[in-house]
Amino acid sequence: APDGPASTGEVEDYEVKIETPPPQDDLDFGDAPDGYPVTLADNGARHVFAAGPTGGPGLRLGTEWDSERDGTHSVNSDFDDLNPGASPDDEDGVTFGVLNPGNPAAVTDVTVNGAPPNGAFLDAWMDFNQNNAWEPSEQIFTSQVVVNGVNNLTFAIPAGALPGITYTRYRLSAGGGLAPDGPASTGEVEDYEVKIETPPPQDDLDFGDAPDGYPVTLADNGARHVFAAGPTGGPGLRLGTEWDSERDGTHSVNSDFDDLNPGASPDDEDGVTFGVLNPGNPAAVTDVTVNGAPPNGAFLDAWMDFNQNNAWEPSEQIFTSQVVVNGVNNLTFAIPAGALPGITYTRYRLSAGGGLAPDGPASTGEVEDYEVKIETPPPQDDLDFGDAPDGYPVTLADNGARHVFAAGPTGGPGLRLGTEWDSESDGTHSVNSDFDDLNPGASPDDEDGVTFGVLNPGNPAAVTDVTVNGAPPNGAFLDAWMDFNQNNAWEPSEQIFTSQVVVNGVNNLTFAIPAGALPGITYTRY
């Protein structure tokens, strides 16, 4: 009884304080399904919302915080997100990487606001055995110190964790030491539905290969795609032709590990080519080759590290779920005026669903990383452009051919075809490919370096005389094309000279005209 003797043990008396509870609409509850401690009746986790020191919002996960008179169980743990009487999407503080049984470093990003200078404390649990209870052995963070902003954290998933849908609880407080249930005087509780997935075989994953700092490996939640075969059993959705597989991603200084890796397909990263990359260019060119896409196309998400800080930031996303189709997709993107000149890195991710980040998994498609160079453009009046008709690549907007005029070693005119050379601010299409000859602001008849003999279909030795000036002693190189099928494009099969060595003076050259070349007017580029 409260009085009288006892033959063993001890008696202790305490002064305590019974307090009037705060108004119920100042409490935040979780929203996990039945069985988890959510409501007042089952001593659900609940936090008192305390304002910050300046009277603004206080300690919380993410940005939003809502208040309820009691907790509410919800099957998908989303009552707080869908509750029309609360702030939109209250549970906005935690994101997850892939959750696989046996992963010693599963990724979770926890966003904190309103923490004091020394940080706050995070206690969290994940129901690995799916028994609708958060047990002591399932605590993944124990009073983990977190600070304002995004906290990139990792935790271990036991090998025996059951694959499938389960639930996790994150509790942020100023004091720490919380259980999955019961009250807290500060902070917020957020419950999430998550999926623990059996990982695909490691040799069915494709990773990127950017340098240290970018998300490449499993340990840093690197971008990775599962290779899914196409509907007929052949190769599936991919960038370019090749696709390789690795057990983990590998950082490489030049972003070329996947190209040089002898255990993978040759030059896996073969899906993207770039035009000139200049700061302030509103229409930089990239050609993206897609294979294995469904009839309605696939989705491209891509980033370029403009500020060279070894991170792809949201403001550096150059394509956001851009629809692309099989074949070559001629795309353009903007390069900000403040982009730093020099070597940097870009990531292209192709998937069937889109909506990808620079890191994390995708169930289809491929990721390719590239080293690129952002260059300060030369003065516009030192550039020479072509002047072929519409359809051919002539202007800056369509990544037209352009050459920087460099003076010769003695300061005189430099390397050129013929005698004359002109300069323009941009290329100009012309019906007869004669704008550079007629342009009154340029040298007379700039295009004076090439003459042709008779051009007949099937001629294996058509004649062209190419006059060169300003070449170094060992000569220079000539690349040239002729549009044999008259489709307003110079295709790889239409290249008539491939880095042909030429010397100063007249070079008498011959080339083959295929028997199937169409008779009529067409265009050539030297």
Side-chain angles (χ1 to χ4, degrees), residues 21-29 40 46-51 65-71 80 83 85-87 90 187:
Q24 290 299 303
D25 59 1
D26 277 348
L27 291 180
D28 175 59
F29 291 81
L40 284 170
R46 53 204 184 273
H47 291 242
V48 178
F49 187 68
W65 193 96
D66 68 359
S67 56
E68 305 110 334
R69 295 185 177 277
D70 200 350
D80 283 348
N83 177 11
S87 302
D90 152 55

Side-chain angles (χ1 to χ4, degrees), residues 131-397:
N131 69 339
N132 280 51
W134 291 302
E135 300 164 355
S137 62
E138 296 177 319
Q139 187 158 7
I140 57 176
F141 296 108
T142 302
S143 298
Q144 167 76 44
V145 176
V146 288
V147 296
N148 285 327
V150 178
N151 298 261
N152 306 114
L153 306 177
T154 60
F155 61 96
I157 300 180
L162 294 180
I165 298 295
T166 193
Y167 300 88
T168 184
R169 169 162 286 172
Y170 279 62
R171 300 191 71 179
L172 178 70
S173 65
L178 299 181
D181 58 1
S185 58
T186 59
E188 186 181 8
V189 53
E190 293 189 356
D191 296 343
Y192 291 88
E193 178 186 88
V194 295
K195 186 175 183 182
I196 296 177
E197 300 181 278
T198 302
Q202 288 300 303
D203 59 1
D204 278 349
L205 291 180
D206 175 59
F207 292 81
D209 58 4
D212 286 338
Y214 296 100
V216 168
T217 66
L218 283 170
D220 52 27
N221 193 29
R224 53 205 183 275
H225 291 242
V226 178
F227 186 68
T232 60
L237 181 63
R238 61 204 187 280
L239 289 163
T241 303
E242 302 296 337
W243 194 97
D244 69 359
S245 57
E246 303 111 334
R247 295 186 176 276
D248 200 350
T250 303
H251 294 285
S252 57
V253 174
N254 300 317
S255 194
D256 57 3
F257 176 82
D258 283 347
D259 301 331
L260 306 176
N261 176 10
S265 302
D267 196 0
D268 153 53
E269 302 201 326
D270 62 343
V272 185
T273 58
F274 301 90
V276 176
L277 307 176
N278 297 143
N281 186 351
V285 174
T286 184
D287 288 344
V288 179
T289 302
V290 173
N291 282 293
N296 293 332
F299 297 93
L300 178 72
D301 291 279
W303 300 260
M304 187 172 287
D305 184 7
F306 294 125
N307 61 8
Q308 299 178 31
N309 69 338
N310 280 51
W312 291 300
E313 298 161 357
S315 62
E316 296 176 321
Q317 186 159 7
I318 57 177
F319 296 108
T320 303
S321 299
Q322 167 77 43
V323 176
V324 288
V325 296
N326 286 326
V328 179
N329 297 261
N330 305 113
L331 306 176
T332 61
F333 61 96
I335 300 180
L340 295 180
I343 297 295
T344 192
Y345 300 89
T346 183
R347 169 162 286 172
Y348 280 62
R349 301 191 70 180
L350 178 70
S351 67
L356 299 181
D359 59 359
S363 58
T364 59
E366 185 181 8
V367 53
E368 292 189 357
D369 296 343
Y370 291 88
E371 178 186 87
V372 295
K373 186 175 182 182
I374 297 177
E375 300 181 277
T376 302
Q380 291 300 305
D381 60 358
D382 278 349
L383 291 180
D384 174 57
F385 291 80
D387 58 5
D390 286 338
Y392 297 100
V394 168
T395 66
L396 282 171

